[in-house]
Amino acid sequence: MKESAIKASSALGLQARILLLVLVPLLLTTVGLVALDAYSRIQSSQDALDRQRQLLIETRQAGVRDVVESARTAIRPILQDASLSDGEKRERAAAIVRAIQFEGNNYVFAYQYDGLNVATAPMPHREGTNMLGVQAPDGAYIIRDLIDVARQGGGFYAYPWEYPGTNDIEPKYSYATNVPEFDWMLGAGVYITDIDASMAEAGVLAAAELRRSIVISTLTGLAIFIIVAAVSVWLVRRTVQPIRRTAEAMRDIAKGQGDLTRRLKIESRDEIGELAAQFNAFVSRMQETLRDVRRSTTSVHQAAEEIAQGSDELATRTEQAAANLQETSASMEEITATVNHSAESAEQANQLVIATSQVAREGEAAMQQVERTMSDIDTSSQRIAEIIGLIDGIAFQTNILALNASVEAARAGEHGRGFAVVAQEVRSLASRSGEAAREIRALIDTSVSHARDGSAIVQRAGETMREIVTSVARVNDVIAEISAGAREQNAGIGQINVAVAEMDTMTQQNAAMVQHTSTTAGEMRRHTQHLSELIGTFVLGEDGHAQAAMRRPATAAKPRAALPRPATDPKPHQARQADEEWETF
């Protein structure tokens, strides 16, 4: 129900709402005032009737009291008459009570305090009867209560009782007072049915007067409502018309076809005029803001175009860099394998050079021994030459001695013939010894010459071996340095491989980010184009060049495909080492 009420209220215009806001409270107020006036009149009439009825009842009660008091006053002289006996006084007083009647059939009654009836003019058969147990229809003991009221000094007592002639239960008001000299209770009662009849007639008259006054109040309120409603409609229309013009201008702006150079006419200095002034200020501010937004949008659109182009170029270069990094990574793998092989070869060469150096040292030691041996041979040859020379000298001396012996044997003749033969043999042996010594000398000289040559050669070979040892030592140092450098190169290339792999990873990530940036730039370019189109729908009072620049369609950025990756891993499997970890992206 609330939703339907909200929809119904939202379907109403501002004028209808203001009229409802004014007229509904006015109508409610008018109806309330009329109802309040009617209620007040009804209450006043009812109160007046109640007061009148109460006044009549009090008047009737006062009349009954006056009658009872008059009866007591009437019997007072009898009470003061000393010539009469107590019985006579009672009889005469009862006679006076029986004789008193008022308002038609109303009478005065008298009862003793014990409930014995003394006088009841319309019903003489009750006299002498104890009526203390008589009860009203509501259960109250009437005579007992009246006696109690009288003994307390007198007063009124109301009770329901049958109305004579109709037997209807009607309220009856009685007044009781006491006669202490006789221990009597004097009382009288009246019905108020006539009062009710009078009040009914008065009520009819009051109701007619009340209806007339209510009709007059209603017509007066309706006339006031119609007059105020007419004035309210005129004022509301006069008030709403500027608001409608403002709403129409806002509607044009909301539809995207608004002329922001349009200004509302300020016709008054009240809140509506203030609204028009503030609307003009708002439109002016909005116009300036949209001008700034248009200029900023143009700059952003150009920047987005440049960013998109730069992103495309950067994406292409990043792809090329990624491909180059992949090729570089493969080449580094090959270089790593080559360096590893070179390091292994250098290590093997280092081992071979170490072995060669050891062999060269051993050869150097052997050559030194050969030199010493050749030197010893040379020394021995010289010694042999000296001995041979000595032998040759001995042979020469022996030959001379044999020649001298031959001469002496010749001189001795026959006796020296045997000695001559011996001398001849000795000379022959000496000659052969000399020849042998000469041959040995020649051989020794030749051997000495060869030994000297061999010693020189051995010396040269020793020097060469020492040079070889020195060169091998230098080569060993160089190869050791090459091996150390190869190991360092291997470690450095491993680090380079890791760095290249990380660069490859970062390049791929950069490529992805560049792709995302390019896509974002394209989105920003489309959004700026859409924003330019939206702003271009407003008339901002600028020249057509700016609007044409804003409405110029921008070429949509082509979506770039994902960066290509090689189908197979270009890195050679045989060049991977166990201690290197490569991650393929």
Side-chain angles (χ1 to χ4, degrees), residues 16-29 225 228-229 231-233 236:
R17 291 183 182 181
I18 295 176
L19 287 175
L20 289 176
L21 184 64
V22 173
L23 297 181
V24 169
L26 178 62
L27 179 61
L28 294 177
T29 303
F225 176 76
V228 174
V231 175
S232 299
V233 170
V236 168

Side-chain angles (χ1 to χ4, degrees), residues 101-228:
Q101 292 185 353
F102 60 95
E103 296 180 3
N105 297 324
N106 291 327
Y107 57 90
V108 179
F109 51 83
Y111 285 87
Q112 294 181 7
Y113 288 162
D114 56 1
L116 187 67
N117 185 274
V118 176
T120 303
M123 293 172 285
H125 59 276
R126 289 185 180 179
E127 295 181 1
T129 305
N130 194 326
M131 304 291 292
L132 197 62
V134 175
Q135 289 181 308
D138 61 353
Y141 292 94
I142 302 173
I143 303 304
R144 183 183 299 172
D145 292 339
L146 286 173
I147 292 171
D148 291 337
V149 171
R151 296 180 69 175
Q152 292 176 3
F156 292 98
Y157 178 74
Y159 55 94
W161 196 251
E162 296 178 358
Y163 189 77
T166 61
N167 294 327
D168 294 331
I169 303 301
E170 298 291 344
K172 188 175 184 179
Y173 292 90
S174 297
Y175 181 81
T177 185
N178 62 343
V179 181
E181 291 83 359
F182 295 153
D183 291 334
W184 282 5
M185 179 270 297
L186 290 179
V190 291
Y191 290 98
I192 61 171
T193 53
D194 55 346
I195 296 176
D196 291 337
S198 300
M199 292 306 302
E201 295 177 359
V204 171
L205 295 176
E209 181 66 23
L210 180 62
R211 283 194 298 272
R212 187 179 67 82
S213 62
I214 290 176
V215 169
I216 293 174
S217 299
T218 303
L219 294 177
T220 303
L222 182 62
I224 295 173
F225 176 76
I226 292 174
I227 294 172
V228 174

Side-chain angles (χ1 to χ4, degrees), residues 351-369:
Q351 298 296 330
L352 293 175
V353 168
I354 291 173
T356 303
S357 176
Q358 185 67 27
V359 172
R361 292 191 190 95
E362 293 177 356
E364 183 182 9
M367 289 303 296
Q368 289 177 357
Q369 292 178 0

Side-chain angles (χ1 to χ4, degrees), residues 378-435:
D378 188 18
T379 303
S380 298
S381 298
Q382 291 178 0
R383 182 62 179 166
I384 291 170
E386 290 179 357
I387 293 171
I388 293 300
L390 181 58
I391 293 171
D392 188 21
I394 294 172
F396 180 74
Q397 290 296 331
T398 302
N399 191 15
I400 291 175
L401 290 175
L403 183 58
N404 288 330
S406 295
V407 173
E408 288 297 330
R411 284 181 182 174
E414 190 67 32
H415 294 289
R417 186 177 291 178
F419 185 75
V421 174
V422 173
Q424 186 63 32
E425 289 297 331
V426 170
R427 189 174 62 183
S428 176
L429 289 172
S431 296
R432 287 196 299 273
S433 297
E435 290 176 359

Side-chain angles (χ1 to χ4, degrees), residues 267-582:
E267 299 177 351
S268 61
R269 294 184 180 180
D270 54 3
E271 288 78 3
I272 304 300
E274 181 67 19
L275 175 62
Q278 295 301 324
F279 175 79
N280 293 336
F282 167 73
V283 172
S284 177
R285 178 62 178 171
M286 188 175 179
Q287 180 182 8
E288 295 298 327
T289 302
L290 288 180
R291 285 177 180 175
D292 294 337
V293 170
R294 175 177 288 175
R295 289 190 292 268
S296 301
T297 304
T298 303
S299 302
V300 171
H301 188 269
Q302 295 176 355
E305 289 284 347
E306 295 176 357
I307 290 174
Q309 294 177 359
S311 298
D312 292 338
E313 294 178 359
L314 182 58
T316 303
R317 293 175 183 174
T318 305
E319 288 181 359
Q320 186 64 34
N324 293 334
L325 277 174
Q326 290 177 353
E327 296 176 357
T328 303
S329 179
S331 300
M332 291 303 299
E333 283 290 333
E334 295 177 357
I335 291 173
T336 301
T338 304
V339 170
N340 288 334
H341 183 68
S342 297
E344 293 175 358
S345 298
E347 188 68 25
Q348 293 175 1
N350 189 21
Q351 298 296 330
L352 293 175
V353 168
I354 291 173
T356 303
S357 176
Q358 185 67 27
V359 172
R361 292 191 190 95
E362 293 177 356
E364 183 182 9
M367 289 303 296
Q368 289 177 357
Q369 292 178 0
V370 170
E371 287 180 356
R372 288 193 296 271
T373 303
M374 291 301 293
S375 178
D376 293 340
I377 292 171
D378 188 18
T379 303
S380 298
S381 298
Q382 291 178 0
R383 182 62 179 166
I384 291 170
E386 290 179 357
I387 293 171
I388 293 300
L390 181 58
I391 293 171
D392 188 21
I394 294 172
F396 180 74
Q397 290 296 331
T398 302
N399 191 15
I400 291 175
L401 290 175
L403 183 58
N404 288 330
S406 295
V407 173
E408 288 297 330
R411 284 181 182 174
E414 190 67 32
H415 294 289
R417 186 177 291 178
F419 185 75
V421 174
V422 173
Q424 186 63 32
E425 289 297 331
V426 170
R427 189 174 62 183
S428 176
L429 289 172
S431 296
R432 287 196 299 273
S433 297
E435 290 176 359
R438 283 193 295 273
E439 291 177 0
I440 291 170
R441 180 185 292 278
L443 291 173
I444 291 300
D445 290 337
T446 302
S447 297
V448 169
S449 177
H450 287 305
R452 288 176 180 172
D453 294 336
S455 177
I457 291 171
V458 168
Q459 287 179 356
R460 288 196 298 273
E463 293 175 357
T464 302
M465 287 300 295
R466 285 190 291 273
E467 292 177 357
I468 289 172
V469 170
T470 304
S471 299
V472 167
R474 288 199 298 271
V475 170
N476 187 16
D477 294 336
V478 172
I479 290 178
E481 292 177 357
I482 292 172
S483 179
R487 286 193 295 272
E488 293 179 356
Q489 288 179 357
N490 188 16
I493 289 175
Q495 295 177 356
I496 291 173
N497 283 331
V498 174
V500 169
E502 293 178 354
M503 289 178 63
D504 189 13
T505 302
M506 289 187 291
T507 303
Q508 293 299 327
Q509 294 175 354
N510 291 337
M513 287 190 291
V514 167
Q515 177 68 27
H516 181 68
T517 303
S518 179
T519 304
T520 305
E523 291 293 332
M524 185 171 68
R525 181 170 54 190
R526 285 192 292 272
H527 287 305
T528 53
Q529 179 65 27
H530 180 63
L531 183 60
S532 301
E533 293 174 357
L534 291 177
I535 296 177
T537 58
F538 293 98
V539 179
L540 302 178
E542 295 179 344
D543 54 356
H545 177 71
Q547 296 183 2
M550 290 299 298
R551 296 174 180 174
R552 183 176 64 250
T555 58
K558 297 181 179 180
R560 294 180 50 82
L563 296 179
R565 299 294 298 167
T568 58
D569 192 358
K571 303 175 182 179
H573 295 283
Q574 67 274 12
R576 297 183 179 178
Q577 295 182 356
D579 58 347
E580 293 178 344
E581 296 179 356
W582 290 89

